[in-house]
Amino acid sequence: MKSYQQSLNIKASLAAVYAALTTIQGLRAWWTQDCEGGVAVGDTLEFRFSECYKDMRIEKLQADSEVRWLCTRAHIVAESVSLADEWVGTQVVFHISDAGLGKTQLDLEHIGLLPSLQCYTLCQNGWQHFLASLQLYLETGTGTPFVAAGHQQIPSTERRAAA
C-alpha cells in the first residue's frame, strides 16, 4: 500500500517554505499554535491539538531541500479511532524544490500513514486542511492553524514578534 502523499506549488521562496517547516514561529502559524520544542536534528517537536498530540523527533534538516520527522509519541482522540497511537513510528517527510518564477514545490510524504489505518481518513483530511493553511500562511501571511477552544488566534505578525 502507498503512504499518504500531497503536493503543493506555493508562491514563496525556498527559504520561506523551509522556515515555515523548521521554526516554532513558522509551525505555529500554519499547523497548531500549541507547538514547542527544539529545532535541531535529534530534538523533539511537540504538537498539541487539545487532547490530541503528536511528538516528532527531527531526523533530517537539509536546508531548502528536505525536512524529516519521526513520530515518537501520539494520541488521537476521535470516535472512529480506537488505536490512539497509530502515528507512532511513521515519518513525515517534506521535500521542497525551486519551481521557478518565485514558486516552491512542496511534496509531503507521510510514510506509514496507510489507507488501512483507522485514522487514515481523519488524517488525510487534516493534512489537506493544514497544508492549505501552510500555503495560505506563506502566500498571505496568515494561516489557519489549530487553535484550542477558548483561545483567540494570534495574528501572524504578533506571533512573529513574540517568538
Side-chain angles (χ1 to χ4, degrees), residues 44-120:
T44 296
L45 289 163
E46 300 172 358
F47 300 99
R48 304 289 174 260
F49 305 84
S50 292
E51 68 273 12
C52 298
Y53 57 82
K54 287 144 180 94
D55 289 358
M56 301 287 187
R57 184 175 63 227
I58 301 169
E59 297 286 297
K60 184 175 184 179
L61 296 173
Q62 188 171 345
D64 299 339
S65 176
E66 182 179 341
V67 174
R68 182 180 296 261
W69 303 328
L70 173 68
C71 184
T72 58
R73 197 168 77 111
H75 185 75
I76 299 169
V77 177
E79 212 173 277
S80 61
V81 178
S82 63
L83 301 171
D85 64 350
E86 283 189 306
W87 271 41
V88 173
T90 66
Q91 291 185 30
V92 177
V93 183
F94 298 95
H95 290 283
I96 58 175
S97 57
D98 187 347
L101 302 173
K103 295 182 180 179
T104 297
Q105 176 73 28
L106 179 137
D107 297 302
L108 165 77
E109 182 176 14
H110 189 156
I111 300 167
L113 181 59
L114 302 169
S116 59
L117 297 181
Q118 289 179 5
C119 71
Y120 185 82

